[in-house]
Amino acid sequence: MREALSPGDAERLARDAEPEFDTIVAAGGDGTVAAVANGIAAAPRPLAILPLGTANVLAAEIGVPRGAAGRAAMIAEGPARQAWPGKIGGRLFLTSAGVGFDADVVAAVDPRLKRRGGRFAFVWAALGELWRFRPTSMTVIADGIGHRVGELIVTTGRLYAGGFAVAPQARLDEPVLHLALFEDRGRIGVLRRWAALLFGCSARAAGATIVVARKVEIADPVGAPVQADGDIVAALPVTIEIAPRPIPLVRPNKM
């Protein structure tokens, strides 16, 4: 086992792993898993997850067992099935990306508080962003069709952030992205949709229009942050699209 001190280390270690390793295991949160996926993207081999991060959305998506014995059995015996990542620029993401309030929150998270307080750091950042909130508007072009919205969440699977059901019909093995388009641009709209998600409602129930697409373009507001798998990875304008090929993702035998 090799320890990574940063996402850059995780990506490099995965890329440079000796060819005799049949499976690469990413121990950490969704950001670490994404870094490892980027490391093996040029020469994909089975990727397994040992969830140890603040949020482990991908682990919840595929049903990684909770106990050590179950996780060990999954890594050793679980089948590797294709999972289609999204791509922003030249980088892959495995669970979700976002522009708007959620990306502003990720950008505002204090890394030291995140290390000490875990999810509390995101709650604290969200409260601060609500206090400083200014309505924004963006044009989202999804497979050539334009939408004017206040917030965008893009997922490859059903779940988002702390395990919220954003796109119940989405599947990791389908080469498409599911877009939650929130038209309401005000503070009350933000509070309403996040309250709905916290209480287990889908994004549609929280006021979103769900759109399926392979390519999404967002041009404005220029410079706004873009998050993917819980890390800021870019700023507008960006193109978000399905990756050109899947990653073999190790899953429990029951799936």
Side-chain angles (χ1 to χ4, degrees), residues 7 10 25-37 47-59 94-95 114 228-231:
V25 181
D30 292 307
T32 299
V33 176
V36 172
L47 169 63
I49 305 169
L50 186 59
L52 299 175
T54 304
N56 300 288
V57 178
L58 188 58
L94 295 180
T95 62
K114 182 180 177 182
D229 292 331
D231 292 318

Side-chain angles (χ1 to χ4, degrees), residues 235-251:
L236 295 185
V238 296
T239 297
I240 304 174
E241 56 192 330
I242 201 70
R245 57 179 169 178
I247 294 288
L249 183 64
V250 175
R251 311 194 191 192

Side-chain angles (χ1 to χ4, degrees), residues 21-208:
F21 291 143
D22 295 326
T23 300
I24 303 296
V25 181
D30 292 307
T32 299
V33 176
V36 172
N38 277 278
I40 64 173
R45 51 182 141 172
L47 169 63
I49 305 169
L50 186 59
L52 299 175
T54 304
N56 300 288
V57 178
L58 188 58
E61 181 80 38
I62 65 174
V64 171
R66 291 185 178 275
R71 290 177 176 179
M74 182 199 73
I75 292 170
E77 304 167 4
R81 299 175 181 169
Q82 68 177 24
W84 285 89
K87 185 164 74 78
I88 299 176
R91 296 199 61 78
L92 305 180
F93 66 91
L94 295 180
T95 62
S96 67
V99 185
F101 182 75
D102 85 317
D104 292 338
V105 169
V106 172
V109 168
D110 184 331
R112 292 172 299 178
L113 184 58
K114 182 180 177 182
R115 287 192 294 270
R116 296 173 183 173
R119 293 186 180 184
F120 175 76
F122 289 90
V123 175
W124 184 255
L127 292 174
E129 288 304 303
L130 279 172
W131 178 260
R132 295 185 291 271
F133 183 81
R134 294 291 183 274
T136 59
S137 184
M138 69 188 83
T139 299
V140 174
I141 309 296
D143 285 350
I145 300 175
H147 307 266
R148 195 70 179 169
V149 302
E151 185 172 3
L152 167 69
I153 295 172
V154 180
T155 69
T156 58
R158 298 176 301 110
L159 303 180
Y160 160 79
F164 304 136
V166 165
Q169 304 304 315
R171 293 174 55 91
L172 293 174
D173 58 3
E174 295 179 345
V176 293
L177 301 170
H178 287 248
L179 284 54
L181 305 169
F182 297 96
E183 294 184 9
D184 193 324
R185 302 161 198 172
R187 182 185 280 112
I188 297 301
V190 170
L191 288 170
R192 185 183 296 117
R193 59 182 170 258
W194 284 96
L197 291 174
L198 283 170
F199 282 99
C201 297
S202 70
R204 193 182 297 277

